[in-house]
Amino acid sequence: MIRACIFDLDGVLVDTAHFHYEAWKRLADSLGFEFTRSDNERLKGVSRMTSLDILLEIGSKKISEKKKHELADLKNNWYVEHISHMTEKDVLPGVLNFLQELKNGGFKLGLGSASKNALQILTQTKILRFFDTVIDGSNVEKAKPDPEIFKKGIEILKVKPAECVVFEDAVAGIEAALAAGTFVIGVGSREILNKAHVVIPGFQEMNVKLFQYFTEKYFVKQLNNYE
Ligand code: G6P
Ligand code: MG
Protein backbone atom coordinates (compact mmCIF):
# COMPACT_ATOMS: atom_id res chain seq x y z
CA MET A 1 0.00 0.00 0.00
CA ILE A 2 1.27 3.47 -0.88
CA ARG A 3 1.55 5.79 2.15
CA ALA A 4 3.88 8.54 0.97
CA CYS A 5 4.89 10.58 -2.08
CA ILE A 6 8.15 12.43 -2.69
CA PHE A 7 8.17 15.12 -5.35
CA ASP A 8 11.07 16.59 -7.26
CA LEU A 9 10.61 20.36 -7.60
CA ASP A 10 12.08 21.83 -10.82
CA GLY A 11 10.12 20.59 -13.83
CA VAL A 12 7.61 18.68 -11.69
CA LEU A 13 5.86 21.23 -9.47
CA VAL A 14 7.20 24.44 -11.04
CA ASP A 15 8.71 25.24 -14.41
CA THR A 16 12.09 26.74 -13.55
CA ALA A 17 14.05 25.05 -16.35
CA HIS A 18 13.86 28.17 -18.54
CA PHE A 19 15.21 30.36 -15.69
CA HIS A 20 18.14 27.97 -15.25
CA TYR A 21 18.63 28.06 -19.02
CA GLU A 22 18.60 31.89 -19.19
CA ALA A 23 21.21 32.10 -16.43
CA TRP A 24 23.50 29.36 -17.82
CA LYS A 25 23.22 30.89 -21.31
CA ARG A 26 24.20 34.30 -19.97
CA LEU A 27 27.26 32.69 -18.38
CA ALA A 28 28.18 30.87 -21.63
CA ASP A 29 27.72 34.14 -23.58
CA SER A 30 30.06 35.92 -21.18
CA LEU A 31 32.66 33.14 -21.67
CA GLY A 32 32.24 33.36 -25.45
CA PHE A 33 30.56 30.10 -26.50
CA GLU A 34 27.11 28.92 -27.51
CA PHE A 35 24.78 27.07 -25.15
CA THR A 36 21.55 25.72 -26.66
CA ARG A 37 18.22 24.56 -25.20
CA SER A 38 19.09 20.99 -26.08
CA ASP A 39 22.40 21.36 -24.17
CA ASN A 40 20.26 22.52 -21.24
CA GLU A 41 18.46 19.12 -21.17
CA ARG A 42 21.70 17.60 -19.86
CA LEU A 43 21.55 19.84 -16.78
CA LYS A 44 18.08 18.80 -15.60
CA GLY A 45 18.16 17.25 -12.13
CA VAL A 46 21.95 17.70 -11.96
CA SER A 47 23.59 19.66 -9.10
CA ARG A 48 24.86 23.23 -9.63
CA MET A 49 28.58 22.37 -9.70
CA THR A 50 28.11 19.33 -11.97
CA SER A 51 25.99 21.51 -14.27
CA LEU A 52 28.86 23.99 -14.46
CA ASP A 53 31.30 21.17 -15.31
CA ILE A 54 29.02 20.05 -18.17
CA LEU A 55 28.70 23.67 -19.40
CA LEU A 56 32.48 24.16 -19.38
CA GLU A 57 32.94 20.85 -21.18
CA ILE A 58 30.52 22.07 -23.90
CA GLY A 59 32.56 25.28 -24.25
CA SER A 60 35.89 23.36 -24.00
CA LYS A 61 36.99 25.63 -21.12
CA LYS A 62 39.44 24.57 -18.43
CA ILE A 63 39.46 26.78 -15.33
CA SER A 64 40.62 26.67 -11.71
CA GLU A 65 38.41 25.45 -8.83
CA LYS A 66 38.37 28.97 -7.34
CA LYS A 67 37.17 30.50 -10.60
CA LYS A 68 34.55 27.74 -10.90
CA HIS A 69 33.01 28.74 -7.58
CA GLU A 70 32.94 32.38 -8.70
CA LEU A 71 31.15 31.43 -11.93
CA ALA A 72 28.64 29.20 -10.10
CA ASP A 73 27.86 32.10 -7.71
CA LEU A 74 27.45 34.48 -10.63
CA LYS A 75 25.02 32.11 -12.37
CA ASN A 76 23.13 31.58 -9.13
CA ASN A 77 22.73 35.34 -8.57
CA TRP A 78 21.17 35.70 -12.03
CA TYR A 79 18.94 32.66 -11.39
CA VAL A 80 17.81 33.97 -7.98
CA GLU A 81 16.94 37.30 -9.61
CA HIS A 82 14.56 35.38 -11.95
CA ILE A 83 12.95 33.24 -9.24
CA SER A 84 12.50 36.22 -6.90
CA HIS A 85 9.52 37.18 -9.09
CA MET A 86 7.81 33.78 -8.80
CA THR A 87 4.35 33.56 -7.23
CA GLU A 88 1.65 30.88 -6.79
CA LYS A 89 0.79 31.47 -10.46
CA ASP A 90 4.03 29.68 -11.38
CA VAL A 91 2.89 26.36 -9.92
CA LEU A 92 2.31 24.00 -12.87
CA PRO A 93 -1.31 23.19 -13.90
CA GLY A 94 -3.08 20.58 -11.76
CA VAL A 95 -0.37 20.46 -9.07
CA LEU A 96 -2.28 22.32 -6.33
CA ASN A 97 -5.36 20.11 -6.72
CA PHE A 98 -3.35 16.92 -6.69
CA LEU A 99 -1.29 17.93 -3.62
CA GLN A 100 -4.51 18.87 -1.80
CA GLU A 101 -6.17 15.54 -2.72
CA LEU A 102 -3.13 13.60 -1.46
CA LYS A 103 -3.11 15.62 1.76
CA ASN A 104 -6.86 14.99 2.26
CA GLY A 105 -6.25 11.29 1.57
CA GLY A 106 -3.76 11.13 4.47
CA PHE A 107 -0.62 10.56 2.37
CA LYS A 108 2.68 11.81 3.79
CA LEU A 109 4.37 14.26 1.43
CA GLY A 110 8.06 15.00 0.95
CA LEU A 111 10.11 17.15 -1.38
CA GLY A 112 13.39 15.83 -2.79
CA SER A 113 15.23 18.38 -4.92
CA ALA A 114 18.87 18.90 -5.86
CA SER A 115 18.30 22.66 -5.70
CA LYS A 116 19.70 24.79 -2.90
CA ASN A 117 17.00 27.34 -3.80
CA ALA A 118 14.14 24.89 -3.12
CA LEU A 119 12.92 26.52 0.12
CA GLN A 120 12.76 29.95 -1.47
CA ILE A 121 10.74 28.63 -4.43
CA LEU A 122 8.37 26.64 -2.17
CA THR A 123 7.82 29.71 0.03
CA GLN A 124 7.22 32.13 -2.83
CA THR A 125 4.81 29.81 -4.63
CA LYS A 126 3.05 29.07 -1.29
CA ILE A 127 3.25 25.27 -1.59
CA LEU A 128 5.61 24.71 1.35
CA ARG A 129 2.55 24.04 3.58
CA PHE A 130 1.85 20.72 1.81
CA PHE A 131 5.16 19.07 2.75
CA ASP A 132 5.98 17.08 5.89
CA THR A 133 9.68 17.24 4.98
CA VAL A 134 11.90 19.10 2.52
CA ILE A 135 15.22 17.58 1.50
CA ASP A 136 17.21 19.79 -0.84
CA GLY A 137 20.72 20.24 -2.19
CA SER A 138 21.96 21.45 1.20
CA ASN A 139 20.96 18.24 3.01
CA VAL A 140 22.66 15.64 0.84
CA GLU A 141 26.24 14.77 -0.01
CA LYS A 142 25.69 12.75 -3.16
CA ALA A 143 23.64 14.14 -6.02
CA LYS A 144 21.07 12.18 -8.09
CA PRO A 145 21.39 9.52 -9.62
CA ASP A 146 22.65 8.49 -6.18
CA PRO A 147 19.60 7.39 -4.13
CA GLU A 148 20.68 9.31 -0.99
CA ILE A 149 18.05 12.07 -1.29
CA PHE A 150 15.12 9.66 -1.63
CA LYS A 151 16.45 7.24 0.99
CA LYS A 152 16.59 10.17 3.43
CA GLY A 153 13.03 11.16 2.55
CA ILE A 154 11.73 7.62 3.09
CA GLU A 155 13.49 7.44 6.45
CA ILE A 156 12.13 10.80 7.66
CA LEU A 157 8.60 10.00 6.48
CA LYS A 158 8.90 6.62 8.29
CA VAL A 159 7.69 4.46 5.40
CA LYS A 160 9.19 1.53 3.50
CA PRO A 161 10.57 2.17 -0.03
CA ALA A 162 7.75 0.06 -1.55
CA GLU A 163 5.20 2.27 0.23
CA CYS A 164 6.54 5.40 -1.47
CA VAL A 165 6.01 6.97 -4.90
CA VAL A 166 8.53 9.41 -6.38
CA PHE A 167 7.54 11.96 -9.06
CA GLU A 168 10.48 12.97 -11.28
CA ASP A 169 11.08 14.75 -14.60
CA ALA A 170 14.81 13.95 -14.97
CA VAL A 171 16.54 10.73 -15.97
CA ALA A 172 19.05 11.10 -13.10
CA GLY A 173 16.14 11.48 -10.66
CA ILE A 174 14.34 8.40 -11.98
CA GLU A 175 17.52 6.34 -11.60
CA ALA A 176 17.93 7.65 -8.03
CA ALA A 177 14.35 6.73 -7.09
CA LEU A 178 14.61 3.25 -8.64
CA ALA A 179 17.85 2.67 -6.73
CA ALA A 180 16.05 3.73 -3.52
CA GLY A 181 13.41 1.06 -4.26
CA THR A 182 10.34 3.27 -4.72
CA PHE A 183 7.59 3.24 -7.32
CA VAL A 184 8.48 5.94 -9.88
CA ILE A 185 6.16 8.16 -11.90
CA GLY A 186 7.94 10.10 -14.64
CA VAL A 187 6.54 13.54 -15.46
CA GLY A 188 7.21 14.49 -19.07
CA SER A 189 8.03 12.59 -22.24
CA ARG A 190 7.66 8.80 -22.37
CA GLU A 191 10.65 8.43 -24.73
CA ILE A 192 13.06 10.23 -22.37
CA LEU A 193 11.68 8.83 -19.10
CA ASN A 194 11.21 5.22 -20.22
CA LYS A 195 12.84 3.75 -17.09
CA ALA A 196 9.96 5.00 -14.87
CA HIS A 197 7.16 2.56 -13.96
CA VAL A 198 4.56 4.98 -15.35
CA VAL A 199 4.92 8.27 -17.27
CA ILE A 200 2.37 11.09 -17.15
CA PRO A 201 2.57 14.28 -19.26
CA GLY A 202 1.76 16.52 -16.25
CA PHE A 203 -0.75 16.88 -13.43
CA GLN A 204 -3.68 18.36 -15.34
CA GLU A 205 -5.47 15.01 -15.64
CA MET A 206 -4.04 13.58 -12.41
CA ASN A 207 -6.06 12.70 -9.31
CA VAL A 208 -5.76 10.31 -6.37
CA LYS A 209 -8.02 7.70 -8.01
CA LEU A 210 -5.85 7.50 -11.11
CA PHE A 211 -2.71 7.51 -8.97
CA GLN A 212 -4.01 4.53 -6.95
CA TYR A 213 -4.99 2.73 -10.15
CA PHE A 214 -1.40 3.09 -11.48
CA THR A 215 0.23 1.77 -8.32
CA GLU A 216 -2.23 -1.11 -7.79
CA LYS A 217 -1.92 -2.20 -11.42
CA TYR A 218 1.85 -2.27 -11.04
CA PHE A 219 1.76 -4.33 -7.84
CA VAL A 220 -0.63 -6.87 -9.39
CA LYS A 221 1.78 -7.17 -12.35
CA GLN A 222 4.68 -7.72 -9.92
CA LEU A 223 2.70 -10.44 -8.13
CA ASN A 224 1.89 -12.17 -11.44
CA ASN A 225 5.56 -12.10 -12.41
CA TYR A 226 6.42 -13.65 -9.08
CA GLU A 227 3.86 -16.48 -9.44
C1 G6P B 1 17.45 20.96 -9.99
C2 G6P B 1 17.46 21.39 -11.45
C3 G6P B 1 18.87 21.51 -11.97
C4 G6P B 1 19.70 22.38 -11.05
C5 G6P B 1 19.72 21.81 -9.64
C6 G6P B 1 20.51 22.67 -8.66
O1 G6P B 1 17.70 19.61 -9.91
O2 G6P B 1 16.73 20.47 -12.26
O3 G6P B 1 18.83 22.02 -13.27
O4 G6P B 1 21.02 22.52 -11.52
O5 G6P B 1 18.37 21.69 -9.18
O6 G6P B 1 19.82 23.87 -8.47
P1 G6P B 1 20.39 25.14 -7.69
O7 G6P B 1 19.15 26.01 -7.53
O8 G6P B 1 20.91 24.66 -6.37
O9 G6P B 1 21.43 25.76 -8.53
MG1 MG C 1 13.50 18.14 -11.96
Side-chain angles (χ1 to χ4, degrees), residues 121-145:
I121 295 171
L122 291 173
T123 308
Q124 281 188 219
T125 54
K126 297 199 167 62
I127 54 172
L128 181 61
R129 63 198 158 97
F130 289 109
F131 297 97
D132 300 298
T133 184
V134 173
I135 302 141
D136 65 16
S138 349
N139 313 121
V140 286
E141 276 171 26
K142 295 184 212 123
K144 302 170 188 176

Short mmCIF file of all heavy atoms in Angstrom, two decimals, residues 121-145:
data_model
loop_
_atom_site.label_atom_id
_atom_site.label_comp_id
_atom_site.label_asym_id
_atom_site.label_seq_id
_atom_site.Cartn_x
_atom_site.Cartn_y
_atom_site.Cartn_z
N ILE A 121 11.77 28.84 -3.40
CA ILE A 121 10.74 28.63 -4.43
C ILE A 121 9.44 28.12 -3.78
O ILE A 121 8.35 28.60 -4.10
CB ILE A 121 11.25 27.63 -5.51
CG1 ILE A 121 12.43 28.25 -6.26
CG2 ILE A 121 10.13 27.25 -6.48
CD1 ILE A 121 13.16 27.31 -7.21
N LEU A 122 9.56 27.18 -2.84
CA LEU A 122 8.37 26.64 -2.17
C LEU A 122 7.65 27.73 -1.39
O LEU A 122 6.41 27.76 -1.34
CB LEU A 122 8.77 25.52 -1.21
CG LEU A 122 9.27 24.22 -1.83
CD1 LEU A 122 9.78 23.29 -0.75
CD2 LEU A 122 8.17 23.54 -2.63
N THR A 123 8.42 28.63 -0.77
CA THR A 123 7.82 29.71 0.03
C THR A 123 7.11 30.70 -0.89
O THR A 123 5.96 31.06 -0.66
CB THR A 123 8.91 30.43 0.85
OG1 THR A 123 9.65 29.43 1.57
CG2 THR A 123 8.31 31.41 1.84
N GLN A 124 7.81 31.12 -1.94
CA GLN A 124 7.22 32.13 -2.83
C GLN A 124 5.98 31.64 -3.55
O GLN A 124 5.06 32.39 -3.80
CB GLN A 124 8.25 32.58 -3.86
CG GLN A 124 9.19 33.57 -3.24
CD GLN A 124 10.10 34.17 -4.27
OE1 GLN A 124 11.27 34.37 -3.98
NE2 GLN A 124 9.58 34.45 -5.46
N THR A 125 5.96 30.34 -3.90
CA THR A 125 4.81 29.81 -4.63
C THR A 125 3.73 29.30 -3.66
O THR A 125 2.71 28.75 -4.10
CB THR A 125 5.23 28.66 -5.57
OG1 THR A 125 5.94 27.69 -4.80
CG2 THR A 125 6.13 29.16 -6.70
N LYS A 126 4.01 29.42 -2.35
CA LYS A 126 3.05 29.07 -1.29
C LYS A 126 2.65 27.58 -1.28
O LYS A 126 1.51 27.23 -0.96
CB LYS A 126 1.79 29.95 -1.40
CG LYS A 126 2.06 31.43 -1.20
CD LYS A 126 0.76 32.15 -0.84
CE LYS A 126 0.97 33.54 -0.33
NZ LYS A 126 1.59 34.48 -1.26
N ILE A 127 3.58 26.70 -1.65
CA ILE A 127 3.25 25.27 -1.59
C ILE A 127 4.03 24.54 -0.49
O ILE A 127 3.86 23.34 -0.30
CB ILE A 127 3.41 24.54 -2.96
CG1 ILE A 127 4.80 24.75 -3.56
CG2 ILE A 127 2.32 24.98 -3.93
CD1 ILE A 127 5.05 23.91 -4.80
N LEU A 128 4.83 25.31 0.25
CA LEU A 128 5.61 24.71 1.35
C LEU A 128 4.69 23.99 2.35
O LEU A 128 5.03 22.94 2.88
CB LEU A 128 6.44 25.81 2.05
CG LEU A 128 7.32 25.38 3.20
CD1 LEU A 128 8.39 24.38 2.75
CD2 LEU A 128 8.01 26.59 3.84
N ARG A 129 3.50 24.57 2.59
CA ARG A 129 2.55 24.04 3.58
C ARG A 129 2.14 22.58 3.32
O ARG A 129 1.70 21.90 4.23
CB ARG A 129 1.29 24.93 3.61
CG ARG A 129 0.52 24.94 2.30
CD ARG A 129 -0.44 26.12 2.21
NE ARG A 129 -0.78 26.42 0.82
CZ ARG A 129 -1.87 25.99 0.22
NH1 ARG A 129 -2.76 25.26 0.89
NH2 ARG A 129 -2.11 26.29 -1.04
N PHE A 130 2.28 22.09 2.11
CA PHE A 130 1.85 20.72 1.81
C PHE A 130 2.86 19.66 2.30
O PHE A 130 2.51 18.50 2.43
CB PHE A 130 1.69 20.52 0.30
CG PHE A 130 0.50 21.24 -0.28
CD1 PHE A 130 0.67 22.36 -1.09
CD2 PHE A 130 -0.79 20.81 0.00
CE1 PHE A 130 -0.42 23.02 -1.62
CE2 PHE A 130 -1.89 21.47 -0.53
CZ PHE A 130 -1.70 22.58 -1.34
N PHE A 131 4.10 20.06 2.55
CA PHE A 131 5.16 19.07 2.75
C PHE A 131 5.51 18.80 4.21
O PHE A 131 5.69 19.72 5.00
CB PHE A 131 6.41 19.47 1.96
CG PHE A 131 6.14 19.49 0.49
CD1 PHE A 131 5.83 20.66 -0.17
CD2 PHE A 131 6.11 18.29 -0.22
CE1 PHE A 131 5.52 20.66 -1.52
CE2 PHE A 131 5.80 18.27 -1.57
CZ PHE A 131 5.50 19.46 -2.23
N ASP A 132 5.59 17.49 4.53
CA ASP A 132 5.98 17.08 5.89
C ASP A 132 7.49 17.17 6.03
O ASP A 132 7.99 17.31 7.14
CB ASP A 132 5.53 15.64 6.13
CG ASP A 132 4.02 15.50 5.99
OD1 ASP A 132 3.31 16.15 6.78
OD2 ASP A 132 3.55 14.81 5.06
N THR A 133 8.22 17.07 4.93
CA THR A 133 9.68 17.24 4.98
C THR A 133 10.19 17.79 3.64
O THR A 133 9.61 17.50 2.60
CB THR A 133 10.40 15.91 5.34
OG1 THR A 133 11.80 16.17 5.46
CG2 THR A 133 10.20 14.85 4.28
N VAL A 134 11.26 18.57 3.73
CA VAL A 134 11.90 19.10 2.52
C VAL A 134 13.37 18.71 2.56
O VAL A 134 14.09 19.10 3.48
CB VAL A 134 11.77 20.64 2.44
CG1 VAL A 134 12.59 21.19 1.27
CG2 VAL A 134 10.31 21.05 2.30
N ILE A 135 13.79 17.92 1.59
CA ILE A 135 15.22 17.58 1.50
C ILE A 135 15.73 18.22 0.21
O ILE A 135 15.20 17.96 -0.87
CB ILE A 135 15.43 16.06 1.47
CG1 ILE A 135 14.81 15.47 2.74
CG2 ILE A 135 16.91 15.71 1.45
CD1 ILE A 135 14.14 14.19 2.48
N ASP A 136 16.72 19.09 0.35
CA ASP A 136 17.21 19.79 -0.84
C ASP A 136 18.73 19.63 -0.97
O ASP A 136 19.35 18.86 -0.23
CB ASP A 136 16.80 21.28 -0.80
CG ASP A 136 17.45 22.03 0.35
OD1 ASP A 136 18.43 21.52 0.93
OD2 ASP A 136 16.98 23.14 0.66
N GLY A 137 19.30 20.37 -1.91
CA GLY A 137 20.72 20.24 -2.19
C GLY A 137 21.63 20.52 -1.01
O GLY A 137 22.80 20.15 -1.03
N SER A 138 21.10 21.17 0.04
CA SER A 138 21.96 21.45 1.20
C SER A 138 21.97 20.30 2.20
O SER A 138 22.79 20.28 3.11
CB SER A 138 21.50 22.71 1.96
OG SER A 138 20.56 23.42 1.26
N ASN A 139 21.04 19.34 2.04
CA ASN A 139 20.96 18.24 3.01
C ASN A 139 21.60 16.93 2.56
O ASN A 139 21.57 15.95 3.28
CB ASN A 139 19.50 17.90 3.37
CG ASN A 139 18.65 19.10 3.69
OD1 ASN A 139 17.65 19.35 3.05
ND2 ASN A 139 19.10 19.88 4.66
N VAL A 140 22.09 16.90 1.32
CA VAL A 140 22.66 15.64 0.84
C VAL A 140 24.10 15.81 0.36
O VAL A 140 24.50 16.91 -0.05
CB VAL A 140 21.83 15.03 -0.33
CG1 VAL A 140 20.54 14.43 0.16
CG2 VAL A 140 21.58 16.04 -1.42
N GLU A 141 24.85 14.71 0.45
CA GLU A 141 26.24 14.77 -0.01
C GLU A 141 26.37 14.32 -1.45
O GLU A 141 27.14 14.87 -2.22
CB GLU A 141 27.11 13.90 0.89
CG GLU A 141 27.52 14.67 2.12
CD GLU A 141 28.20 13.81 3.15
OE1 GLU A 141 28.79 12.77 2.77
OE2 GLU A 141 28.14 14.19 4.33
N LYS A 142 25.58 13.30 -1.80
CA LYS A 142 25.69 12.75 -3.16
C LYS A 142 24.46 13.14 -3.98
O LYS A 142 23.33 12.96 -3.53
CB LYS A 142 25.82 11.23 -3.10
CG LYS A 142 27.12 10.81 -2.43
CD LYS A 142 27.25 9.29 -2.48
CE LYS A 142 28.00 8.79 -1.27
NZ LYS A 142 27.27 7.82 -0.48
N ALA A 143 24.73 13.68 -5.17
CA ALA A 143 23.64 14.14 -6.02
C ALA A 143 22.98 12.96 -6.76
O ALA A 143 23.57 11.89 -6.88
CB ALA A 143 24.18 15.14 -7.03
N LYS A 144 21.72 13.16 -7.23
CA LYS A 144 21.07 12.18 -8.09
C LYS A 144 22.00 11.92 -9.28
O LYS A 144 22.64 12.87 -9.73
CB LYS A 144 19.73 12.72 -8.61
CG LYS A 144 18.74 13.10 -7.50
CD LYS A 144 17.56 13.86 -8.11
CE LYS A 144 16.66 14.44 -7.03
NZ LYS A 144 15.56 15.27 -7.54
N PRO A 145 22.18 10.74 -9.79
CA PRO A 145 21.39 9.52 -9.62
C PRO A 145 21.67 8.70 -8.37
O PRO A 145 21.15 7.60 -8.24
CB PRO A 145 21.74 8.71 -10.88
CG PRO A 145 23.14 9.13 -11.20
CD PRO A 145 23.22 10.58 -10.83
#
